[in-house]
Amino acid sequence: MCDPVIMTTLAVVAGGTQAYSQYSQGRAAEATGNYNARELENQATSIRSKGAEEENIKRRETAEFASKQRAMMGASGIDIESGSAADLQQDTQLIGEVDALRIRRNYAEKADTTDRQAVQTKAEGRAAKRAANLSAMGTVLTTAATAGMINAPVPAGGQALAGTPVNSKWYTDSSAFMLA
């Protein structure tokens, strides 16, 4: 059987390596979550910009269309300042504005959804880090318990007692007869 000091050292080194690996994985998961969240935030900004651009394009198209209507009605000799011609121009402007605002709303909803995804992604990264830290802590505790059992006194029957070095406070070689 191996020397208890060597076994304890190997157990501690293996446990420490595993704990550090878990800790590092948690940090990497958090960093990845933060990076992905920033990418999503950038996408949301881009979506909002695209929405503003599309909204302005729609307003320009509406203005061009209204100008063509006025020109056609004016060329036909229709008074464009009153009656049906004026109503038609107002309706054209109103419909164009409603379309522009719908475009704005649609892009805003897409951007808001992307922002929510960014928040969720960041939270997932933090949760992964916490889970990895807890796993690392569990590994450290398990390693400590294992190292303690390796150094635990062995009773006369040859079976090591379960537990940690605390058992040395109540167990002695002279009390071995009580276990039989």
Side-chain angles (χ1 to χ4, degrees), residues 18-20 22-23 130-144:
Q18 183 177 357
Y20 181 74
Q22 291 165 330
Y23 170 76
R130 277 189 227 111
N133 286 345
L134 289 172
S135 292
M137 181 57 67
T139 299
V140 167
L141 294 174
T142 301
T143 299

Side-chain angles (χ1 to χ4, degrees), residues 83-166:
S84 296
D87 291 343
L88 179 61
Q89 289 178 70
Q90 285 177 344
D91 289 347
T92 299
Q93 290 297 328
L94 178 65
I95 291 169
E97 184 61 21
V98 168
D99 286 347
L101 293 174
R102 186 173 3 95
I103 289 168
R104 178 193 295 176
R105 185 190 73 226
N106 289 344
Y107 276 94
E109 287 174 359
K110 287 179 189 177
D112 290 345
T113 298
T114 305
D115 279 336
R116 284 190 296 276
Q117 289 172 337
V119 168
Q120 180 65 29
T121 300
K122 195 176 283 190
E124 288 170 359
R126 282 192 310 266
K129 179 183 178 186
R130 277 189 227 111
N133 286 345
L134 289 172
S135 292
M137 181 57 67
T139 299
V140 167
L141 294 174
T142 301
T143 299
T146 302
M149 283 198 262
I150 290 171
N151 289 319
V154 178
Q159 290 283 13
L161 291 175
T164 64
V166 171

